[in-house]
Amino acid sequence: MVSRREVLKLSGATAISASLGAIAQDIAPADYELDIAAVTLDVAPRRQVKTTGYNGQAPGPLLHLKEGRTVTIAVTNHTDHPEVVHWHGLFLPPAVDGALEEGTPPIAPGTSARYTFTPAPAGFRWYHSHVMAMGDLTRGLYSGQHGPLMIEPRNNPGLYDQEFFLALQDWDGYLSASEDGAMNPSYRVSTINGKALGSGEPLRVKQGARVLLHVVNTSPTEPHWVALAGHELAVLALDGNPVPRPQRVRMLRLAPAERVCAAVEMNNPGIWILGEVRRHVQAAGMGLVVEYGGQHGAPRWQQPADLSWNYEQFATAVPIEAAATPAIAVPLVFESRFRGHGAMEAWTINGKSYPDTSAAPLVSGQRYRLLFINKSRDDHPLHLHRHSFELRSFGKSLDGSGTARVNNVGGIIKDVVLVDAQTQAEVEFVADHPGATLFHCHQQSHMDQGFMLLFTYA
Amino acid sequence: MPRCGFLLLLFVFFSPMARAQGNYEIQVYGSETVPPANLMVELHSNFTVEGERETIDGVYPTNHQLHETLELTGGINDWSELGFYIFTSAQDGHGLQWVGDHIRPRIRVPESWGWPVGVSLSMEFGYQRALYSLDTWTWEIRPIIDKAVGRWYFAVNPAFERTVHGPDVNQGWAFAPSAKISYDFTAVVSGGIEYYGDYGALSNFVPVHNQQQQVFLVTDLNVSPVWEINIGVGVGATAATDHFIIKCILGRRFDFGRHSPVD
């Protein structure tokens, strides 16, 4: 059996040889530079979070890239452990996608790496650390290594007056006993763009303006619901991809790694709170003030009575016709393994944990239907690297009581989907980006504990 | 025999037994407290298969006593709770008798403080009838330290007890530690060992022969987050200890809080 460490060594070696061909590109100056280093965030007047960030901040700088225009990003690792940057949602070769398991080389402590790639597809993406954290709740996605990445389409209609990028993050994690009988991360602080509610600069808007919000949940493990008091949010895109049926909603739900682009008509002057709907999370800091020009007073919050969200409201209204080429079904069963009340659970895909997980090689050009069979008691935000997929079916209960809550829908293109506990969801994608492709739960604690699978191409 | 010598002998011989409230509640505490707006209802059933057979100084023998203790614990907030006990005893010839009541506030170090071990502090104060204990009013301070590491669980309760009213009132604080080590065989079934000791006064431990030393083989059945089941058999290793006890704790947590998905 190949150990996890050996797999990482092998994949790293492959990627290093692949990167030799890019040495010539190293001579040219980089378009962007990212420095990975320790940073102390002043999340509130008397609350600091010591973490690791990009360019001395968390979230990292907004990177505005042009679709189809090759870019080079130089990354220097000033920490004392290897790092890697994943360009989440892009169709990139494995050598630069930013996953060690696919073959992207790690950035050794004190060294630099250059990521040269041609960004695609257009839309709201993000970049983040993709190392394992294991028991260290300061590394990987637990850290401040995340930032917004906007891939501008060749033709941007620009149907908005202002745009804001918002990152939802949970900080200062610790392990606590949960009702599922295992240890799970909990957090002391939650922020939007690294600031607790009332501590950062407000979003200053003008009455009558059309504001575009690009929201990404960078949390290592937690889903978040956010609302803007006094306003509705018109959802235009999920995970950076336009939805077939834009809808006005009271709140957004974002599982870890999900993004939502929503337009807001600023037609209700005042000082408002944009924040987490759940009281305890907003109390932990997740919120910010939205301030109309010329308005004064204390920020106002209107507490929703419940949580509401579903994917299907954005899907095509009528069932789409079956694809000309039938998709090959790939069942993936997710389960946990108890490892003691004082430990996190181990995770399996089809009975095995990474690196022992496996699937039949993908055939280029073939359409696949991934059957996400979540037999566990946790919800899982599932992410497929280097590809997008289309939601087709979800909400099917695994207790044998009935069919899928939503079946045979189409038009929602994503790279992360939240599959509820004890349900089955199905997505389809075309294997059109040859190379090693990582699939995993985007909860850092779950991927650390084996919830990963590496697809390969035949 | 001089009067003071007789009293000393009485103290040495009976004080561990008299102090041993544990035969009504035989439990090593974990650091976790009951959540706010929750009520934990526990029934402690302890049967002394082989214990003291003689009535001594008016105190009923423990042999074949069935102790049924009802424990009600309400969560106050994330770091404190208040417990209340009703002790009873059933025995041939004596019927079902009320023994006494205790009250037990407890505070804990919140989990969010990130301490490497769980820590809480319990204070127990109460009355028991002289038919069951010569020391009728007692006070206990019980620090609690625990830790779960993988499948292993460790807990230590270095408790200190003193008599407020009774023959041992001048004895001062006594040391009565307990400890537990268990292993999770599965998510539901854990098994381990619990230890209960009583060494007598801190200033003057009694001889080992007269100390209380009990060891229980126990299993915890984690069938549900709202149920608590602990079953054990214990042996006493010294003359001053009941020699063979069977214990069972059956607990059910009731949540009276109003929970909203947006809380």
Side-chain angles (χ1 to χ4, degrees):
Chain A
M1 181 171 41
V2 180
S3 71
R4 176 186 178 81
R5 180 165 296 186
E6 286 167 340
V7 166
L8 293 179
K9 279 183 181 175
L10 289 169
S11 58
T14 307
I16 288 168
S17 62
S19 67
L20 291 176
I23 285 177
Q25 294 176 329
D26 290 353
I27 300 169
D31 299 286
Y32 292 94
E33 292 184 355
L34 292 178
D35 285 335
I36 305 171
V39 59
T40 300
L41 293 181
D42 294 311
V43 298
R46 287 188 294 276
R47 189 70 171 89
Q48 290 187 327
V49 171
K50 294 183 184 301
T51 184
T52 307
Y54 294 124
N55 294 0
Q57 61 186 78
L62 168 64
L63 301 184
H64 248 122
L65 309 182
K66 293 281 189 187
E67 183 185 25
R69 180 183 295 177
T70 301
V71 66
T72 296
I73 301 171
V75 182
T76 303
N77 180 9
H78 298 283
T79 71
D80 57 4
H81 47 73
E83 271 296 346
V84 67
V85 183
H86 172 48
W87 313 96
H88 187 120
L90 299 188
F91 303 156
L92 300 181
V96 291
D97 183 53
L100 304 177
E101 297 79 3
E102 293 175 346
T104 309
I107 309 170
T111 68
S112 297
R114 294 164 70 88
Y115 294 84
T116 298
F117 55 81
T118 303
F124 178 37
R125 317 297 168 193
W126 64 301
Y127 59 99
H128 60 83
S129 169
H130 206 287
V131 298
M132 296 297 105
M134 307 315 287
D136 185 348
L137 270 56
T138 64
R139 292 199 62 198
L141 291 164
Y142 297 111
S143 76
Q145 294 176 77
H146 55 261
L149 177 60
M150 193 65 185
I151 312 301
E152 291 290 350
R154 290 185 174 86
N155 297 305
N156 183 353
L159 300 175
Y160 51 87
D161 302 300
Q162 292 174 280
E163 66 176 345
F164 297 100
F165 292 83
L166 306 176
L168 316 177
Q169 177 69 351
D170 300 292
W171 304 95
D172 206 1
Y174 60 96
L175 289 178
S176 65
S178 59
E179 289 213 337
D180 64 8
M183 303 297 280
N184 281 305
S186 296
Y187 304 91
R188 298 179 180 91
V189 181
S190 300
T191 64
I192 298 179
N193 286 353
K195 293 289 185 183
L197 176 59
S199 300
E201 286 294 308
L203 298 188
R204 295 189 171 87
V205 299
K206 295 176 183 173
Q207 184 175 353
R210 181 178 163 88
V211 168
L212 195 53
L213 300 177
H214 303 286
V215 190
V216 54
N217 183 356
T218 62
S219 173
T221 59
E222 300 302 298
H224 287 297
W225 285 259
V226 290
L228 173 55
H231 299 76
E232 286 189 323
L233 303 140
V235 174
L236 306 178
L238 297 179
D239 291 355
N241 307 304
V243 295
R245 286 199 305 163
Q247 297 288 323
R248 290 183 181 278
V249 297
R250 293 185 296 126
M251 67 185 71
L252 313 175
R253 187 206 65 190
L254 298 100
E258 282 191 315
R259 289 89 68 206
V260 175
C261 300
V264 187
E265 302 290 344
M266 306 311 299
N267 53 12
N268 192 1
I271 310 291
W272 300 98
I273 289 176
L274 185 159
E276 234 282 4
V277 174
R278 293 169 300 167
R279 292 185 181 92
H280 76 281
V281 185
Q282 192 178 113
M286 186 167 283
L288 55 73
V289 175
V290 176
E291 182 181 296
Y292 279 69
Q295 297 292 314
H296 304 284
R300 292 166 59 195
W301 172 248
Q302 296 169 331
Q303 179 61 53
D306 57 8
L307 302 175
S308 65
W309 179 263
N310 63 66
Y311 291 128
E312 58 262 35
Q313 61 188 315
F314 310 110
T316 48
V318 293
I320 61 170
E321 296 189 5
T325 307
I328 296 176
V330 181
L332 300 171
V333 179
F334 313 127
E335 294 174 285
S336 64
R337 277 190 189 150
F338 178 75
R339 296 198 301 188
H341 294 297
M344 289 189 274
E345 292 170 298
W347 290 95
T348 63
I349 300 175
N350 293 343
K352 294 182 177 177
S353 295
Y354 187 85
D356 298 324
T357 50
S358 63
L362 304 174
V363 176
S364 188
Q366 174 64 48
R367 188 172 186 85
Y368 291 91
R369 189 173 181 108
L370 302 180
L371 314 181
F372 299 141
I373 304 163
N374 181 7
K375 291 186 175 179
S376 77
R377 290 175 292 177
D378 288 7
D379 301 342
H380 296 291
L382 304 173
H383 173 47
L384 183 65
H385 281 231
R386 306 179 53 249
H387 298 74
S388 294
F389 49 68
E390 182 178 22
L391 304 194
R392 297 303 308 276
S393 158
F394 36 92
K396 179 180 180 181
S397 173
L398 296 182
D399 61 8
S401 60
T403 57
R405 178 170 57 82
V406 178
N407 203 7
N408 206 24
V409 296
I412 300 180
I413 309 298
K414 290 174 62 60
D415 52 62
V416 178
V417 62
L418 186 70
V419 180
D420 295 338
Q422 299 286 309
T423 71
Q424 177 170 330
E426 299 177 9
V427 304
E428 290 189 7
F429 76 104
V430 177
D432 50 4
H433 300 290
T437 299
L438 191 63
F439 166 79
H440 62 90
C441 175
H442 218 282
Q443 290 198 50
Q444 178 80 59
S445 53
H446 291 183
M447 57 191 288
D448 287 344
Q449 306 299 331
F451 202 139
M452 297 199 294
L453 183 153
L454 191 65
F455 285 106
T456 57
Y457 275 70
Chain B
M1 180 182 292
R3 180 183 171 85
C4 61
F6 173 76
L7 291 176
L8 181 63
L9 183 64
L10 198 69
F11 160 73
V12 167
F13 194 80
F14 290 118
S15 61
M17 298 285 281
R19 200 182 299 112
Q21 299 307 316
N23 282 3
Y24 293 90
E25 186 209 11
I26 305 173
Q27 185 175 21
V28 180
Y29 290 4
S31 64
E32 198 172 348
T33 52
V34 174
N38 278 237
L39 177 68
M40 188 74 185
V41 179
E42 290 173 281
L43 182 66
H44 300 257
S45 303
N46 304 320
F47 182 70
T48 304
V49 178
E50 186 181 346
E52 176 58 56
R53 295 173 183 271
E54 304 296 326
T55 298
I56 300 174
D57 208 25
V59 175
Y60 290 158
T62 58
N63 195 52
H64 289 186
Q65 271 188 352
L66 173 64
H67 293 170
E68 295 287 358
T69 298
L70 179 65
E71 177 184 0
L72 305 172
T73 307
I76 298 171
N77 53 32
D78 288 338
W79 51 270
S80 68
E81 66 179 25
L82 183 63
F84 181 74
Y85 296 89
I86 302 170
F87 301 125
T88 69
S89 177
Q91 192 173 27
D92 282 348
H94 301 296
L96 179 63
Q97 298 276 333
W98 169 71
V99 173
D101 295 323
H102 280 197
I103 191 167
R104 180 186 54 77
R106 186 149 75 99
I107 57 174
R108 69 171 297 192
V109 172
E111 225 173 5
S112 60
W113 287 15
W115 285 26
V117 295
V119 174
S120 71
L121 183 67
S122 163
M123 303 272 280
E124 186 170 331
F125 182 78
Y127 169 81
Q128 46 278 331
R129 295 167 65 195
L131 286 170
Y132 295 90
S133 167
L134 291 175
D135 293 321
T136 51
W137 288 91
T138 54
W139 177 21
E140 178 195 88
I141 298 175
R142 181 189 294 244
I144 299 152
I145 302 161
D146 72 353
K147 176 77 175 176
V149 182
R151 292 179 182 270
W152 291 97
Y153 174 75
F154 308 90
V156 179
N157 296 180
F160 302 91
E161 300 174 350
R162 71 170 301 153
T163 298
V164 177
H165 185 273
D168 295 336
V169 70
N170 295 320
Q171 178 187 329
W173 290 98
F175 184 51
S178 57
K180 176 174 185 169
I181 180 170
S182 66
Y183 182 82
D184 299 327
F185 296 106
T186 70
V188 174
V189 180
S190 304
I193 294 171
E194 293 177 359
Y195 161 77
Y196 301 89
D198 191 333
Y199 292 78
L202 274 175
S203 56
N204 183 23
F205 281 177
V206 296
V208 173
H209 180 74
N210 294 317
Q211 292 176 4
Q212 178 173 314
Q213 301 288 346
Q214 281 180 318
V215 176
F216 281 76
L217 195 62
V218 297
T219 182
D220 292 282
L221 305 178
N222 308 293
V223 295
S224 159
V226 298
W227 283 98
E228 176 188 14
I229 302 172
N230 171 272
I231 301 167
V233 292
V235 294
T238 65
T241 315
D242 287 331
H243 295 309
F244 187 26
I245 295 178
I246 299 172
K247 71 158 185 163
C248 174
I249 303 171
L250 181 63
R252 172 72 162 83
R253 181 166 59 85
F254 297 92
D255 189 345
F256 296 106
R258 287 185 177 178
H259 296 288
S260 161
V262 297
D263 282 342

